[in-house]
Amino acid sequence: MIKGILFDKDGTLIDFTATFGPATAAVVRTLAKGDSKLAYSLAEAVDFHLDDQIFGETSIVIAGTVAQQAQVWGKMINRHDTAVLTNEIDILFARYATEFVTPFSYTSDVIDRLIASGLAIGLATNDSEIGARNQLEKMGFTSRFGFVAGYDSGHGPKPEPGMVSAFARHIGAQPHEVVMVGDSSHDMQSAKAAGSLAVAVTTGMATANALRLHADHVLNGIGELPDLITLLHAN
């Protein structure tokens, strides 16, 4: 029996491009301090197209951490205090991603249906924990998530298994009683490494074919998740 659902955030619960496109543009322009040429260079360095606010497939903003972004951008803006810069970028993303956060139209209903069926709900993101909590609060979802973990919460980032394992412990479940739902191979690898079920959704940047290499199930979106859980319980 499935006891808990651990969700990725970006591309799974919220529209990644609609949220992080304008947020990343704002972060880049803030770091560039009015230098337009530098802003374009900072964007290009993380495979982000500044004018149309679209990410390339290799962008570390998609699946990487803010610490990785700080390492890349720090060299370009002559900032070698990586830890301090990471914190500054965290604060900027927490501010702008919260301002622009855009959940999918069905997100709230799906979460309510899962909770009503007796499932524990958690969030695991490579965003910062404070950024994730701010966005949950902005969307009115805070009370629905009993567990929230970011890359800086002490469990390690995805694709490591720490967040999934911590969620299972938090709800008093075994790893195989937990489903990890996400839109990237990192989410799926994290689930598999922890011994949990890996369910992918195609509402993020990765294609269905790429996700099938790592996932136990591939869905068009979390709107299909309640039916899958019902089917799993029936079997």
Side-chain angles (χ1 to χ4, degrees), residues 11-12 104 106 199-204 208 212 217-225:
T12 303
F104 292 115
Y106 46 77
V199 175
V201 291
T202 59
T203 46
R212 286 192 185 98
H217 301 275
V218 179
L219 308 179
N220 292 319
I222 63 168
E224 298 179 355
L225 186 60

Side-chain angles (χ1 to χ4, degrees), residues 180-196:
M180 174 76 216
V181 183
D183 69 312
S184 74
S185 60
H186 279 182
D187 296 317
M188 302 301 98
Q189 291 164 3
S190 181
K192 291 295 186 69
S196 298

Side-chain angles (χ1 to χ4, degrees), residues 7-85:
F7 286 102
D8 169 57
K9 177 169 63 69
D10 308 322
T12 303
L13 299 177
I14 69 175
D15 186 319
F16 181 84
T17 301
T19 300
F20 278 89
T24 302
V27 170
V28 163
R29 290 193 171 101
T30 300
L31 292 175
K33 296 182 178 179
D35 185 332
S36 178
K37 184 177 180 180
L38 177 58
Y40 279 96
S41 296
L42 292 171
E44 184 179 0
V46 294
D47 199 5
F48 176 66
H49 305 279
L50 187 57
D51 289 333
D52 51 18
Q53 300 182 355
I54 293 176
F55 298 89
E57 293 182 0
T58 64
S59 177
I60 60 173
V61 179
I62 297 174
T65 67
V66 175
Q68 291 172 314
Q69 295 163 36
Q71 290 177 347
V72 172
W73 285 335
K75 297 174 184 177
M76 302 175 69
I77 60 176
N78 198 30
R79 289 284 300 274
H80 306 294
D81 51 342
T82 304
V84 175
L85 181 59

Side-chain angles (χ1 to χ4, degrees), residues 128-140:
S128 66
E129 182 177 333
I130 186 62
R133 290 188 181 278
N134 286 347
Q135 288 181 320
L136 289 175
E137 182 177 4
K138 178 72 177 292
M139 294 184 289

